[in-house]
Amino acid sequence: MSSTTELAELHELIGNLRRCVTSLAAKYGDSPATRRIVNDAERILNDIDRLDIDAEELELSRGRGVVHPPRVSERIPIPDTQYDTDFWRDVDDEGLGGTR
């Protein structure tokens, strides 16, 4: 079974869960117990939505996804010259080693 089919099945199941939870809340009213069940169902729905977002990562971990080329480290030169004093105007000294 493909992950797309599995995710579609999860969405169908969470839809059924939501309908059951809504029915229970209508039957038993607003109480701490029904609010917990509603919150749990919403949390599960959010987790499944998150799984949809992470599906590509799951495919990558199984070796079926896009292979990204390795990063090439690039050195960025930092000059040794002094910065213009206007660069530091209105900047607070965070105590990085002395006074000015």
Side-chain angles (χ1 to χ4, degrees):
M1 182 185 301
S2 72
S3 63
T4 303
T5 305
E6 292 164 341
L7 290 173
E9 185 179 353
L10 278 173
H11 281 285
E12 183 180 336
L13 291 170
I14 192 66
N16 291 337
L17 177 64
R18 275 183 131 176
R19 283 187 286 283
C20 290
V21 167
T22 301
S23 176
L24 286 171
K27 183 176 181 178
Y28 294 105
D30 185 35
S31 69
T34 56
R35 283 194 298 270
R36 272 195 306 275
I37 292 171
V38 169
N39 287 338
D40 288 345
E42 289 300 316
R43 182 185 47 78
I44 292 169
L45 176 63
N46 289 337
D47 289 344
I48 291 171
D49 288 341
R50 180 63 157 214
L51 184 60
D52 282 341
I53 293 168
D54 295 338
E56 181 181 337
E57 183 178 319
L58 290 174
E59 289 299 317
L60 286 173
S61 70
R62 296 169 100 186
R64 288 194 248 151
V66 177
V67 177
H68 297 285
R71 287 183 158 181
V72 177
S73 61
E74 180 181 336
R75 292 186 177 212
I76 301 172
I78 300 173
D80 288 334
T81 58
Q82 290 290 328
Y83 288 105
D84 185 20
T85 56
D86 288 339
F87 179 80
W88 299 107
R89 185 179 308 159
D90 298 326
V91 175
D92 293 332
D93 182 4
E94 296 289 329
L96 297 176
T99 59
R100 285 193 240 168

